[in-house]
Amino acid sequence: MNNNINFDRNQAKRLLLLAILAGRIMLKNGAETYRVEDTIERMIKSRKGIKFAHAFVTPTGIFASLEYEDEVFTYLVRIKSRRIDLNKINLVNEFSREFVSTNMSIDEGFDKLKSIYSAETYSLMLNSISGGLSCGFLSFMFGGSTMDFLASLIIGFIVVLSVNKIARYKLAFFINNFLGAAIATLLSIVSYTVGIADNMNTVIIASIMPLVPGVAITNAMRDTISGDFVSGLSRGMEAIFSALSIAFGVGFILNIYLWRIR
Amino acid sequence: MFETIKQFVFSFISTIGFSIIFNIPKGLIVKSGIVGGIGWLVFYISSQFFSSSIISTFFASLTVGILGELCARYFKKPATVFIIPGIIPLVPGAGLYYTMLALLEEDFYAAATKGTETIFIAAAISAGLIISTTLSKSIRRANTK
């Protein structure tokens, strides 16, 4: 397809590194594993002289190897922290399409990927405000009153803000969700007791919604369908444990509350 | 009718909120909001015909999945960008909460009922996504052959 003149051993090695960097950005930001595998293989195979290229991706690591002139290069990358940034997945997706269809040099590819890696996200304030808005309108959807809307709006804002702040300490995701759900429940109970909210249950349900594992459920299903059972299972476990941690967080505070009023 | 429009607007705004939390590219926020709004509308309307919310959730997640795949094809973006925010209002947060509440009140009968319903709602979301993704994949495969 392409006829790079100076495509030598070193270039082949760098091509593999480039493809893995692309895959790493996608996986770190919550892409499905089959999409990551596909991207890595496509990017490697688009250059001339590559006999064989394969990638094996799980949610916690990437293995990829290519064969160039009777020599096999293999790299292994471990992914430790993951978060959700669908914009970066989209950008890498566009980048890989461009890389495959044009004659982009590998150095140029590295530059582009580095700028994607540090691409801007929405600010924490905007994130928290939109979290508050979604919680507020969710409480309407679940049958809440105007006062419930106001309470969920404020609580959703605080929950998203504090979960983002807590995430900076890089605790286990279980503790993160647990604390988020506990904060949501505590504030809902307080607002109900003070008299802001009319219906405590609706406010609690609406304000734990930013924590529910929607991404894990979606990706678990999409991975399983494309035949990646290892990834599907591990994402499914992530979904189950996120749900459990939310339930524990709610239960912990609620138990104290119920014991107090008994 | 007014109530239906209200539900659409509410779910539209809350889906947009989630799409900002998940850092969706600027040009796609409104589109994913529409996908989520339509998904919730399907849930809302079908829950008036069926007594159980499991089947309504299934239809809603099927709708979100199909719309997400169509948008992905049309706008040339990953399908998850549209599906993930649209799925969030359907996730059984309420079931999770009521199960925990029943457990704490030591009402184990209610806990079992609610817990089973929660698990089945999650399964319904998964089933809807499975069907839409499989359909889209097989159509794509048939087209490329």
mmCIF file of all heavy atoms in Angstrom, chain A residues 7 12 15-16 19-20 39-48 50 52-55 64-67 99-100:
data_model
loop_
_atom_site.group_PDB
_atom_site.id
_atom_site.type_symbol
_atom_site.label_atom_id
_atom_site.label_comp_id
_atom_site.label_asym_id
_atom_site.label_seq_id
_atom_site.Cartn_x
_atom_site.Cartn_y
_atom_site.Cartn_z
ATOM 1 N N PHE A 7 12.316 2.247 5.298
ATOM 2 C CA PHE A 7 11.651 1.411 6.294
ATOM 3 C C PHE A 7 12.582 0.278 6.691
ATOM 4 O O PHE A 7 12.700 -0.728 6.013
ATOM 5 C CB PHE A 7 10.345 0.866 5.720
ATOM 6 C CG PHE A 7 9.403 0.427 6.781
ATOM 7 C CD1 PHE A 7 8.689 1.354 7.523
ATOM 8 C CD2 PHE A 7 9.239 -0.913 7.063
ATOM 9 C CE1 PHE A 7 7.824 0.947 8.514
ATOM 10 C CE2 PHE A 7 8.372 -1.313 8.058
ATOM 11 C CZ PHE A 7 7.666 -0.384 8.786
ATOM 12 N N ALA A 12 10.515 -0.501 11.983
ATOM 13 C CA ALA A 12 9.510 -1.511 12.303
ATOM 14 C C ALA A 12 9.256 -1.540 13.803
ATOM 15 O O ALA A 12 8.111 -1.644 14.258
ATOM 16 C CB ALA A 12 9.973 -2.877 11.816
ATOM 17 N N LEU A 15 7.280 1.440 14.752
ATOM 18 C CA LEU A 15 5.891 1.284 14.316
ATOM 19 C C LEU A 15 5.093 0.517 15.369
ATOM 20 O O LEU A 15 3.975 0.894 15.730
ATOM 21 C CB LEU A 15 5.852 0.539 12.974
ATOM 22 C CG LEU A 15 4.474 0.164 12.460
ATOM 23 C CD1 LEU A 15 3.670 1.401 12.138
ATOM 24 C CD2 LEU A 15 4.583 -0.713 11.230
ATOM 25 N N LEU A 16 5.728 -0.551 15.893
ATOM 26 C CA LEU A 16 5.059 -1.340 16.920
ATOM 27 C C LEU A 16 4.799 -0.489 18.165
ATOM 28 O O LEU A 16 3.708 -0.519 18.743
ATOM 29 C CB LEU A 16 5.932 -2.553 17.273
ATOM 30 C CG LEU A 16 5.366 -3.513 18.316
ATOM 31 C CD1 LEU A 16 4.041 -4.068 17.849
ATOM 32 C CD2 LEU A 16 6.326 -4.636 18.579
ATOM 33 N N ALA A 19 1.900 1.885 17.480
ATOM 34 C CA ALA A 19 0.594 1.224 17.524
ATOM 35 C C ALA A 19 0.204 0.924 18.963
ATOM 36 O O ALA A 19 -0.959 1.079 19.351
ATOM 37 C CB ALA A 19 0.634 -0.057 16.703
ATOM 38 N N ILE A 20 1.197 0.522 19.782
ATOM 39 C CA ILE A 20 0.882 0.206 21.177
ATOM 40 C C ILE A 20 0.510 1.467 21.939
ATOM 41 O O ILE A 20 -0.408 1.446 22.770
ATOM 42 C CB ILE A 20 2.060 -0.534 21.831
ATOM 43 C CG1 ILE A 20 2.049 -1.967 21.345
ATOM 44 C CG2 ILE A 20 1.962 -0.492 23.331
ATOM 45 C CD1 ILE A 20 3.062 -2.834 21.977
ATOM 46 N N THR A 39 -7.386 -1.760 16.131
ATOM 47 C CA THR A 39 -6.600 -0.568 15.800
ATOM 48 C C THR A 39 -5.126 -0.920 15.683
ATOM 49 O O THR A 39 -4.457 -0.536 14.712
ATOM 50 C CB THR A 39 -6.790 0.503 16.882
ATOM 51 O OG1 THR A 39 -8.180 0.717 17.054
ATOM 52 C CG2 THR A 39 -6.127 1.784 16.511
ATOM 53 N N ILE A 40 -4.599 -1.664 16.685
ATOM 54 C CA ILE A 40 -3.172 -1.990 16.679
ATOM 55 C C ILE A 40 -2.824 -2.806 15.425
ATOM 56 O O ILE A 40 -1.876 -2.498 14.701
ATOM 57 C CB ILE A 40 -2.798 -2.763 17.959
ATOM 58 C CG1 ILE A 40 -2.939 -1.863 19.178
ATOM 59 C CG2 ILE A 40 -1.378 -3.295 17.870
ATOM 60 C CD1 ILE A 40 -2.661 -2.551 20.487
ATOM 61 N N GLU A 41 -3.634 -3.840 15.137
ATOM 62 C CA GLU A 41 -3.307 -4.701 13.995
ATOM 63 C C GLU A 41 -3.392 -3.938 12.677
ATOM 64 O O GLU A 41 -2.537 -4.082 11.807
ATOM 65 C CB GLU A 41 -4.242 -5.916 13.988
ATOM 66 C CG GLU A 41 -3.833 -6.916 15.048
ATOM 67 C CD GLU A 41 -4.809 -8.065 15.174
ATOM 68 O OE1 GLU A 41 -5.675 -8.222 14.284
ATOM 69 O OE2 GLU A 41 -4.709 -8.805 16.168
ATOM 70 N N ARG A 42 -4.433 -3.121 12.548
ATOM 71 C CA ARG A 42 -4.576 -2.354 11.313
ATOM 72 C C ARG A 42 -3.417 -1.410 11.093
ATOM 73 O O ARG A 42 -2.894 -1.292 9.983
ATOM 74 C CB ARG A 42 -5.841 -1.532 11.368
ATOM 75 C CG ARG A 42 -6.929 -2.102 10.528
ATOM 76 C CD ARG A 42 -8.148 -1.294 10.777
ATOM 77 N NE ARG A 42 -9.250 -2.194 10.921
ATOM 78 C CZ ARG A 42 -10.396 -1.996 10.296
ATOM 79 N NH1 ARG A 42 -10.557 -0.932 9.559
ATOM 80 N NH2 ARG A 42 -11.364 -2.850 10.425
ATOM 81 N N MET A 43 -3.012 -0.723 12.192
ATOM 82 C CA MET A 43 -1.924 0.246 12.046
ATOM 83 C C MET A 43 -0.637 -0.447 11.642
ATOM 84 O O MET A 43 0.112 0.057 10.796
ATOM 85 C CB MET A 43 -1.721 1.010 13.363
ATOM 86 C CG MET A 43 -2.702 2.146 13.534
ATOM 87 S SD MET A 43 -2.514 2.964 15.096
ATOM 88 C CE MET A 43 -0.952 3.765 14.876
ATOM 89 N N ILE A 44 -0.362 -1.615 12.227
ATOM 90 C CA ILE A 44 0.897 -2.304 11.895
ATOM 91 C C ILE A 44 0.852 -2.841 10.475
ATOM 92 O O ILE A 44 1.802 -2.696 9.711
ATOM 93 C CB ILE A 44 1.154 -3.437 12.912
ATOM 94 C CG1 ILE A 44 1.373 -2.858 14.303
ATOM 95 C CG2 ILE A 44 2.375 -4.245 12.502
ATOM 96 C CD1 ILE A 44 1.520 -3.885 15.379
ATOM 97 N N LYS A 45 -0.273 -3.423 10.107
ATOM 98 C CA LYS A 45 -0.341 -4.075 8.794
ATOM 99 C C LYS A 45 -0.359 -3.086 7.644
ATOM 100 O O LYS A 45 -0.169 -3.476 6.487
ATOM 101 C CB LYS A 45 -1.588 -4.964 8.723
ATOM 102 C CG LYS A 45 -1.364 -6.303 9.395
ATOM 103 C CD LYS A 45 -2.616 -7.147 9.343
ATOM 104 C CE LYS A 45 -2.396 -8.456 10.060
ATOM 105 N NZ LYS A 45 -3.683 -9.076 10.422
ATOM 106 N N SER A 46 -0.611 -1.796 7.948
ATOM 107 C CA SER A 46 -0.711 -0.833 6.859
ATOM 108 C C SER A 46 0.646 -0.527 6.242
ATOM 109 O O SER A 46 0.707 0.054 5.159
ATOM 110 C CB SER A 46 -1.337 0.455 7.379
ATOM 111 O OG SER A 46 -0.427 1.106 8.221
ATOM 112 N N ARG A 47 1.748 -0.879 6.928
ATOM 113 C CA ARG A 47 3.070 -0.557 6.393
ATOM 114 C C ARG A 47 3.668 -1.769 5.700
ATOM 115 O O ARG A 47 3.382 -2.905 6.063
ATOM 116 C CB ARG A 47 3.991 -0.055 7.515
ATOM 117 C CG ARG A 47 3.540 1.274 8.089
ATOM 118 C CD ARG A 47 3.547 2.357 7.033
ATOM 119 N NE ARG A 47 3.122 3.646 7.564
ATOM 120 C CZ ARG A 47 1.938 4.200 7.336
ATOM 121 N NH1 ARG A 47 1.031 3.572 6.619
ATOM 122 N NH2 ARG A 47 1.655 5.389 7.817
ATOM 123 N N LYS A 48 4.530 -1.475 4.754
ATOM 124 C CA LYS A 48 5.068 -2.536 3.898
ATOM 125 C C LYS A 48 6.087 -3.387 4.654
ATOM 126 O O LYS A 48 6.766 -2.898 5.540
ATOM 127 C CB LYS A 48 5.759 -1.894 2.693
ATOM 128 C CG LYS A 48 5.486 -2.623 1.395
ATOM 129 C CD LYS A 48 6.229 -1.910 0.295
ATOM 130 C CE LYS A 48 6.330 -2.797 -0.910
ATOM 131 N NZ LYS A 48 7.187 -2.178 -1.903
ATOM 132 N N ILE A 50 5.687 -5.947 6.626
ATOM 133 C CA ILE A 50 5.281 -6.624 7.857
ATOM 134 C C ILE A 50 4.591 -7.913 7.453
ATOM 135 O O ILE A 50 3.569 -7.901 6.774
ATOM 136 C CB ILE A 50 4.318 -5.742 8.674
ATOM 137 C CG1 ILE A 50 4.896 -4.349 8.905
ATOM 138 C CG2 ILE A 50 3.982 -6.424 9.988
ATOM 139 C CD1 ILE A 50 6.101 -4.289 9.758
ATOM 140 N N PHE A 52 3.538 -10.325 9.628
ATOM 141 C CA PHE A 52 2.590 -10.881 10.579
ATOM 142 C C PHE A 52 2.423 -9.903 11.729
ATOM 143 O O PHE A 52 3.392 -9.294 12.166
ATOM 144 C CB PHE A 52 3.166 -12.227 11.029
ATOM 145 C CG PHE A 52 2.795 -12.699 12.396
ATOM 146 C CD1 PHE A 52 1.773 -13.612 12.560
ATOM 147 C CD2 PHE A 52 3.478 -12.254 13.503
ATOM 148 C CE1 PHE A 52 1.445 -14.056 13.814
ATOM 149 C CE2 PHE A 52 3.157 -12.702 14.767
ATOM 150 C CZ PHE A 52 2.135 -13.613 14.916
ATOM 151 N N ALA A 53 1.214 -9.671 12.143
ATOM 152 C CA ALA A 53 0.996 -8.772 13.272
ATOM 153 C C ALA A 53 -0.195 -9.265 14.066
ATOM 154 O O ALA A 53 -1.234 -9.602 13.484
ATOM 155 C CB ALA A 53 0.727 -7.352 12.784
ATOM 156 N N HIS A 54 -0.017 -9.346 15.358
ATOM 157 C CA HIS A 54 -1.122 -9.765 16.205
ATOM 158 C C HIS A 54 -1.114 -8.981 17.504
ATOM 159 O O HIS A 54 -0.046 -8.586 17.977
ATOM 160 C CB HIS A 54 -1.042 -11.257 16.525
ATOM 161 C CG HIS A 54 -1.914 -12.065 15.624
ATOM 162 N ND1 HIS A 54 -3.282 -12.010 15.694
ATOM 163 C CD2 HIS A 54 -1.625 -12.925 14.628
ATOM 164 C CE1 HIS A 54 -3.790 -12.806 14.775
ATOM 165 N NE2 HIS A 54 -2.806 -13.375 14.107
ATOM 166 N N ALA A 55 -2.290 -8.771 18.046
ATOM 167 C CA ALA A 55 -2.376 -8.083 19.334
ATOM 168 C C ALA A 55 -3.340 -8.853 20.210
ATOM 169 O O ALA A 55 -4.356 -9.366 19.734
ATOM 170 C CB ALA A 55 -2.868 -6.656 19.145
ATOM 171 N N ALA A 64 1.539 -7.184 22.008
ATOM 172 C CA ALA A 64 1.473 -7.095 20.550
ATOM 173 C C ALA A 64 2.801 -7.531 19.983
ATOM 174 O O ALA A 64 3.857 -7.311 20.586
ATOM 175 C CB ALA A 64 1.159 -5.669 20.112
ATOM 176 N N SER A 65 2.751 -8.202 18.825
ATOM 177 C CA SER A 65 4.013 -8.572 18.200
ATOM 178 C C SER A 65 3.886 -8.445 16.697
ATOM 179 O O SER A 65 2.795 -8.533 16.133
ATOM 180 C CB SER A 65 4.417 -9.990 18.590
ATOM 181 O OG SER A 65 3.488 -10.890 18.095
ATOM 182 N N LEU A 66 5.032 -8.190 16.043
ATOM 183 C CA LEU A 66 5.040 -8.136 14.589
ATOM 184 C C LEU A 66 6.288 -8.839 14.080
ATOM 185 O O LEU A 66 7.292 -8.949 14.789
ATOM 186 C CB LEU A 66 4.989 -6.693 14.088
ATOM 187 C CG LEU A 66 6.114 -5.712 14.339
ATOM 188 C CD1 LEU A 66 7.278 -5.901 13.407
ATOM 189 C CD2 LEU A 66 5.581 -4.305 14.136
ATOM 190 N N GLU A 67 6.209 -9.341 12.859
ATOM 191 C CA GLU A 67 7.354 -10.017 12.260
ATOM 192 C C GLU A 67 7.828 -9.189 11.084
ATOM 193 O O GLU A 67 7.052 -8.842 10.195
ATOM 194 C CB GLU A 67 6.972 -11.424 11.793
ATOM 195 C CG GLU A 67 8.190 -12.225 11.374
ATOM 196 C CD GLU A 67 7.814 -13.624 10.934
ATOM 197 O OE1 GLU A 67 6.728 -14.093 11.299
ATOM 198 O OE2 GLU A 67 8.609 -14.224 10.200
ATOM 199 N N PHE A 99 -3.758 7.343 9.667
ATOM 200 C CA PHE A 99 -2.448 6.698 9.578
ATOM 201 C C PHE A 99 -2.471 5.561 8.571
ATOM 202 O O PHE A 99 -1.535 5.370 7.794
ATOM 203 C CB PHE A 99 -2.058 6.163 10.964
ATOM 204 C CG PHE A 99 -0.678 5.585 11.020
ATOM 205 C CD1 PHE A 99 0.415 6.421 11.185
ATOM 206 C CD2 PHE A 99 -0.466 4.223 10.897
ATOM 207 C CE1 PHE A 99 1.694 5.898 11.235
ATOM 208 C CE2 PHE A 99 0.808 3.700 10.949
ATOM 209 C CZ PHE A 99 1.894 4.537 11.111
ATOM 210 N N VAL A 100 -3.563 4.799 8.565
ATOM 211 C CA VAL A 100 -3.640 3.642 7.679
ATOM 212 C C VAL A 100 -3.793 4.081 6.226
ATOM 213 O O VAL A 100 -3.189 3.503 5.327
ATOM 214 C CB VAL A 100 -4.814 2.733 8.114
ATOM 215 C CG1 VAL A 100 -5.099 1.679 7.082
ATOM 216 C CG2 VAL A 100 -4.503 2.083 9.443
#
